């Protein structure tokens, strides 16, 4: 059984969480190491989903609806989740 979704604004660092929202932007970085940053927004605030080692992720485009699960961090004033599990659509 999966946990209920939480609002991004109330995420607790280092506590596994599940959130849903719409992708606002996708940025691909090639240097110094490949990564893709996806900004997810749920109405309460943004969450950066960082996919390390990936130069783009198929299907992750602005406007798509995602449900993500992972362990958030709070770095430099930004909520961040590295290599989260994700699925498209709305929570069950």
């Amino acid at each position: 059984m999966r946990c209920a979704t939480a609002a991004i604004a109330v995420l607790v660092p280092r506590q596994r969480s599940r959130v849903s929202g719409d992708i606002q932007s996708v940025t691909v970085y090639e240097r110094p190491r490949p990564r893709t940053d996806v900004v997810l927004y749920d109405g309460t605030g943004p969450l950066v989903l960082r996919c390390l080692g990936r130069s783009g992720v198929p299907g992750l485009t602005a406007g798509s609806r995602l449900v993500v699960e992972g362990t958030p961090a709070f770095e430099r004033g930004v909520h961040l989740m590295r290599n989260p599990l994700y699925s498209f659509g709305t929570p069950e």
Side-chain angles (χ1 to χ4, degrees):
M1 180 176 190
R2 293 190 176 254
C3 60
T5 60
I8 292 171
V10 299
L11 289 177
V12 177
R14 300 177 61 180
Q15 182 177 331
R16 190 151 184 94
S17 304
R18 186 172 185 231
V19 299
S20 66
D22 296 315
I23 296 177
Q24 279 191 325
S25 66
V26 178
T27 308
V28 176
Y29 297 93
E30 294 292 333
R31 298 191 185 270
R33 291 175 184 83
R35 78 171 197 252
T36 299
D37 284 358
V38 177
V39 177
L40 189 73
Y41 187 75
D42 71 348
T44 67
L47 172 66
V48 176
L49 310 174
R50 183 157 292 159
C51 302
L52 301 170
R54 306 279 308 260
S55 296
V57 181
L60 296 187
T61 57
S64 296
R65 183 117 179 111
L66 285 183
V67 178
V68 298
E69 188 173 341
T71 304
F74 196 69
E75 293 181 5
R76 298 180 184 156
V78 175
H79 279 107
L80 173 76
M81 196 177 281
R82 289 181 185 86
N83 296 326
L85 298 173
Y86 63 91
S87 61
F88 295 95
T90 56
E92 298 171 355

